[in-house]
Amino acid sequence: MGGIERVSQLAYLVIREGSKWTDVFRLVPGQAVTIGRAPTNQIVIKDERCSRNHAELFHSEGEWTVRDLESRNGTLVGENSIRGDYVLHAGEIIRIGQSQLAFVHDLSKAFPDSSAILRHARDEKQEAHATLAPETDDEHVLTSEEGATITHRRGQTRYLEPHSHVDAGSPETGHAAANLARLAFELAKSTDQLAVADLALGGLFKGTRIDAGGMLLLPRNQVGEPTSADLNVVACRTDTELPYHRVSSFLASMVLREGEAMLARNVMGDSRLGSRDSKGDVHATSVICAPIRHENRIFGLVHLYSTDEHRAPDPDDLEFTLAVADTVGVALENLSRRQELAENLNRIRDENLQLRERLGVQSEIVGNSPAVAKITQEIARAAPSRATVLIRGESGVGKELVARAVHFSSPRKKGPFVCLNCAALSRSLLASELFGHDQGAFTGATQRKIGKFEQSDGGTLMLDEIGELSPAIQAKFLRVLEGHPFERVGGTQSIKVDVRVIAATNRDLERDVAEGRFRRDLYFRLRVLEIVVPALRKRPEDIPELAHYFLQRFNSETGRKIRGFSPQAMELMRKYRWPGHIRELKNVIERAVVLSRSDLVEPEDLTLTQLATSGDTNDPPSISAGNQPFRPMTLDDIERQHIHATLVATGWNKSQAAGMLGIERSTLDRKIRRYNLVEQRPDANTRSTSNGPF
């Protein structure tokens, strides 16, 4: 009894839009189903006469009930407009605009208008040979000396068209329609072309008299009139010992050109209709070839054949194959739209991130020094051009800011600006980030990914740390710069984009070229226009302006009211070497704003380092915070002072001091004895006076 009760609760909505059944939706007790034009509904009907939230179905007291949600044009059950709740009965049709939703408990009754299909096909089977070419009176479309004949053609399948005369007692029609409905339900859940092809071939092998077949699809972005050479075998299957043999180009071209499904018999000796193996033999006795299409677009072909002359397909099988092919066309169209939506969503997310970054990064370059004026002039000259720009400078000087200024001053300013740090990714991931990858290209590639080149189409792509590219990626990158198309990782489709490339590096590319780490031809291709961003220590006159700019920014972010810098703090910043450049200045100011205990930034609020700068080794040594005037000293005197200052700073913790100096503890002890360094301790009277409570 439990099994019977469970089956009785099964319910489905079979959806038809216009003249075609398009989907099957299973109703689950306890889960309400909403219907409307808005994409948030479980069943979406794209019809202007359908309200955004039109109606809902719910299970109550063992019955399924439909409720109109105060829609603009109302909901019909049969020919009657419903008001409030209406309890549905099996076989009733819900009508919303031009869409019809059949409510059934048994999928075999999901297509009440298809019972006459097989009966009509059996009548056709009694004809000796149909007249197949409407413009002639020939008995066959093609007849060879061996007797190969295309006996039937179908432009539309009757399984997916309404009929006025229904043979409700035909078990074959009901079985075929139920198989088609179940197949459509499974195809709607498929996530890729291979799954669609496998499901469709499985359904065809169960529903037709064939023992081999395959599905051939055209490229996604097919350009021009499709030909048989454009078809790719996505999936194939055979129930014999012989392998699957591809459809003949003659038959494939005919089906693609005319858009009709064809059934051919007696093709054993005719290579124009049958498929040859590697030895040139044709093993098929009968062939079915049907176009996979949706609206005016052809996706490919379904190719089926039988190698057993006693088990040949008939017009019923042709009807069923065409119905499956049309259903596969709808599934592929929906799959293509889902992929496009996913790609657009990823692109929109990236663009949103870019917009947020643009709002967070000021587009103007701060500074009035001659060096900044020169950079501004170079940006103005480089922006109108399409030429590649190479921006050079140490890490932290603002190379990305210069690249953004070039982009937003160029005719491409309305296009995307995409930035990628080449040093932040491994070689394998860098190729995927640059050129994208197709689903299944490698482990973890669960869906198609659009690369940075495609994302920046019509705009600008900035590649930071260009010197970190591997030799293999350098070669592929050079081809793209030369205007050649590229392919995604694991893909076969050629992609051509219109992108301006701006490269940035802090490396000595000339030395890398001389040592063979960087391609010579890529170096010259990148260095068409060059902008050198000087280090902050080379333009100290910009430090006050930059410091006040960051002070105002962090005052606004933190709510502090720091008025400015003390003269001593500003002088210290002017003389500091800034090995981290503008990035370090920004972070130092931010920390000072957060931790300052007065309304002015004092020298003790500035956390400066003793790191050496990465360039300009011939520059004078950095001036310490003490700002002592220069006096000649021997190296021993300098070492003695430095070791003593380090010991004082660590409270004479020798282990810590040795670690800071980068020497062993025993070496530090020898140097202390050598330089007669003695720890200065306060006397007992001083300690008692300073520490006592009275």
Side-chain angles (χ1 to χ4, degrees):
M1 294 297 292
I4 297 175
E5 180 181 357
R6 179 177 58 83
V7 173
S8 66
Q9 292 179 354
L10 294 178
Y12 303 89
L13 281 180
V14 185
I15 305 169
R16 180 166 65 188
E17 295 180 358
S19 62
K20 290 187 177 182
W21 296 100
T22 60
D23 204 353
V24 177
F25 192 91
R26 182 178 176 182
L27 301 175
V28 180
Q31 297 182 9
V33 178
T34 59
I35 306 171
R37 198 175 72 250
T40 54
N41 294 284
Q42 285 87 348
I43 299 178
V44 179
I45 297 178
K46 297 180 180 179
D47 190 330
E48 290 300 324
R49 281 166 290 189
C50 177
S51 300
R52 291 183 58 82
N53 298 289
H54 196 101
E56 68 173 342
L57 275 77
F58 55 91
H59 193 261
S60 177
E61 298 180 357
E63 300 288 345
W64 280 96
T65 302
V66 60
R67 173 184 295 165
D68 184 81
L69 299 178
E70 298 181 357
S71 61
R72 184 175 67 252
N73 295 312
T75 303
L76 301 178
V77 177
E79 300 298 331
N80 301 319
S81 177
I82 65 171
R83 291 289 183 267
D85 297 346
Y86 180 88
V87 177
L88 291 170
H89 300 87
E92 290 187 313
I93 306 294
I94 303 172
R95 302 177 187 274
I96 298 177
Q98 289 293 325
S99 299
Q100 303 177 32
L101 299 86
F103 175 77
V104 296
H105 291 293
D106 186 354
L107 280 178
S108 65
K109 301 177 181 179
F111 296 87
D113 53 359
S114 59
S115 59
I117 295 173
L118 293 179
R119 183 183 63 191
H120 185 80
R122 285 195 298 271
D123 293 341
E124 288 186 341
K125 192 175 180 181
Q126 302 301 320
E127 300 177 5
H129 291 289
T131 301
L132 302 175
E135 67 277 8
T136 68
D137 294 329
D138 294 341
E139 194 172 282
H140 311 297
V141 170
L142 177 102
T143 302
S144 69
E145 294 178 358
E146 294 82 0
T149 307
I150 296 178
T151 61
H152 293 83
R153 300 162 66 120
R154 291 288 179 271
Q156 300 292 333
T157 175
R158 297 186 181 89
Y159 278 97
L160 303 180
E161 293 182 352
H163 293 274
S164 57
H165 301 287
V166 177
D167 183 7
S170 174
E172 296 182 34
T173 301
H175 180 70
N179 286 340
L180 185 60
R182 281 192 291 267
L183 181 60
F185 181 72
E186 294 297 327
L187 288 174
K189 299 188 296 182
S190 301
T191 57
D192 55 62
Q193 290 183 348
L194 181 59
V196 170
D198 287 338
L199 283 171
L201 288 178
L204 288 168
F205 270 68
K206 291 180 181 179
T208 59
R209 300 173 183 84
I210 51 97
D211 51 31
M215 181 177 292
L216 300 86
L217 297 181
L218 295 167
R220 181 181 177 187
N221 297 323
Q222 174 69 29
V223 179
E225 192 72 19
T227 65
S228 60
D230 299 325
L231 293 168
N232 298 311
V233 179
V234 177
C236 60
R237 176 176 170 179
T238 177
D239 289 346
T240 68
E241 296 180 355
L242 299 173
Y244 166 76
H245 297 298
R246 183 186 174 99
V247 63
S248 67
S249 60
F250 179 84
L251 183 58
S253 298
M254 184 183 300
V255 173
L256 288 175
R257 182 177 63 254
E258 301 183 11
E260 290 184 327
M262 299 184 183
L263 169 61
R265 292 176 178 162
N266 302 323
V267 299
M268 180 68 74
D270 195 327
S271 61
R272 289 175 293 177
L273 296 181
S275 303
R276 289 185 180 272
D277 61 12
S278 58
K279 298 180 180 179
D281 298 327
V282 180
H283 299 284
T285 60
S286 300
V287 176
I288 293 177
C289 192
I292 301 172
R293 62 201 172 180
H294 179 68
E295 296 179 349
N296 296 324
R297 178 182 177 186
I298 294 182
F299 291 92
L301 301 177
V302 172
H303 173 228
L304 308 173
Y305 61 88
S306 174
T307 59
D308 185 356
E309 60 183 3
H310 301 294
R311 191 171 181 268
D314 57 19
D316 301 346
D317 298 323
L318 180 64
E319 291 281 1
F320 184 75
T321 302
L322 185 54
V324 171
D326 284 348
T327 306
V328 169
V330 175
L332 291 177
E333 176 68 17
N334 292 337
L335 182 62
S336 177
R337 289 180 179 178
R338 287 201 298 268
Q339 290 177 346
E340 290 177 0
L341 287 173
E343 293 172 1
N344 291 336
L345 180 60
N346 291 334
R347 180 173 298 178
I348 290 172
R349 287 175 177 171
D350 291 338
E351 291 176 356
N352 286 339
L353 290 176
Q354 295 168 24
L355 290 173
R356 293 192 184 101
E357 291 174 357
R358 292 176 191 175
L359 292 174
V361 178
Q362 302 299 319
S363 59
E364 58 185 28
I365 299 175
V366 178
N368 293 311
S369 65
V372 171
K374 181 181 178 182
I375 292 175
T376 304
Q377 294 173 0
E378 291 175 345
I379 291 173
R381 288 195 297 265
S385 171
R386 295 170 52 92
T388 305
V389 180
L390 178 62
I391 303 176
R392 310 182 73 161
E394 299 176 27
S395 179
V397 297
K399 296 189 291 295
E400 183 177 346
L401 198 65
V402 174
R404 289 182 182 274
V406 171
H407 170 73
F408 291 111
S409 301
S410 72
R412 297 171 175 262
K413 60 184 178 181
K414 293 184 179 180
F417 177 82
V418 180
C419 184
L420 176 65
N421 189 335
C422 300
L425 300 169
S426 64
R427 294 180 179 179
S428 58
L429 289 178
L430 184 58
S432 173
E433 285 293 323
L434 278 175
F435 307 108
H437 65 254
D438 276 348
Q439 183 177 6
F442 49 84
T443 302
T446 58
Q447 62 182 1
R448 174 180 294 173
K449 176 181 176 61
I450 300 300
K452 299 298 184 184
F453 268 106
E454 289 183 78
Q455 293 178 21
S456 53
D457 188 18
T460 304
L461 173 62
M462 178 193 175
L463 297 177
D464 200 4
E465 307 297 346
I466 191 69
E468 304 298 331
L469 289 179
S470 66
I473 299 181
Q474 288 180 30
K476 189 172 182 180
F477 178 56
L478 177 61
R479 282 187 55 82
V480 179
L481 283 181
E482 295 289 352
H484 296 282
F486 63 92
E487 298 174 354
R488 299 189 188 98
V489 177
T492 58
Q493 178 185 350
S494 295
I495 302 170
K496 190 175 181 63
V497 294
D498 175 24
V499 175
R500 182 184 190 178
V501 173
I502 298 178
T505 184
N506 62 356
R507 295 174 62 98
D508 187 349
L509 290 184
E510 290 80 3
R511 184 176 63 184
D512 289 346
V513 170
E515 296 177 356
R517 290 194 297 267
F518 199 82
R519 292 179 62 101
R520 182 182 298 270
D521 49 1
L522 178 58
Y523 167 76
F524 289 114
R525 185 64 182 82
L526 290 173
R527 195 171 174 264
V528 178
L529 300 175
E530 185 178 57
I531 299 177
V532 179
V533 183
L536 184 58
R537 62 181 176 274
K538 291 188 176 182
R539 49 188 182 104
E541 58 269 36
D542 288 332
I543 292 177
E545 187 174 353
L546 285 166
H548 284 96
Y549 169 80
F550 288 125
L551 180 66
Q552 294 176 4
R553 175 175 171 179
F554 293 122
N555 270 340
S556 176
E557 291 182 4
T558 61
R560 298 294 303 274
K561 296 181 179 180
I562 307 297
R563 293 188 295 110
F565 303 88
S566 68
Q568 297 82 1
M570 183 58 69
E571 184 65 20
L572 180 59
M573 287 191 295
R574 282 177 175 273
K575 294 182 178 180
Y576 181 59
R577 298 289 295 166
W578 298 109
H581 307 287
I582 298 177
R583 183 182 294 121
E584 182 186 7
L585 174 62
K586 170 187 171 183
N587 295 334
V588 167
I589 301 289
E590 182 177 12
R591 184 181 186 277
V593 170
V594 172
L595 300 181
S596 178
R597 287 173 289 185
S598 66
D599 59 352
L600 288 176
V601 175
E602 299 291 344
E604 56 268 21
D605 298 324
L606 302 174
T607 304
L608 307 179
T609 70
Q610 297 294 327
L611 293 175
T613 57
S614 58
D616 298 337
T617 56
N618 294 327
D619 284 354
S622 59
I623 302 175
S624 65
N627 191 23
Q628 296 296 327
F630 172 78
R631 62 185 180 88
M633 298 177 66
T634 64
L635 290 177
D636 286 345
D637 290 339
I638 293 175
E639 184 179 41
R640 181 182 185 280
Q641 290 185 8
H642 185 61
I643 292 175
H644 183 265
T646 304
L647 289 169
V648 172
T650 59
W652 276 79
N653 185 324
K654 296 181 180 180
S655 297
Q656 185 178 356
M660 295 178 63
L661 293 169
I663 59 178
E664 298 291 336
R665 167 69 183 271
S666 58
T667 303
L668 178 61
D669 288 334
R670 289 197 302 271
K671 290 184 179 295
I672 290 175
R673 292 193 298 270
R674 175 184 174 184
Y675 295 127
N676 296 320
L677 300 178
V678 180
E679 180 181 7
Q680 301 295 328
R681 298 179 179 273
D683 59 354
N685 293 332
T686 303
R687 287 197 301 270
S688 63
T689 302
S690 60
N691 295 336
F694 301 105

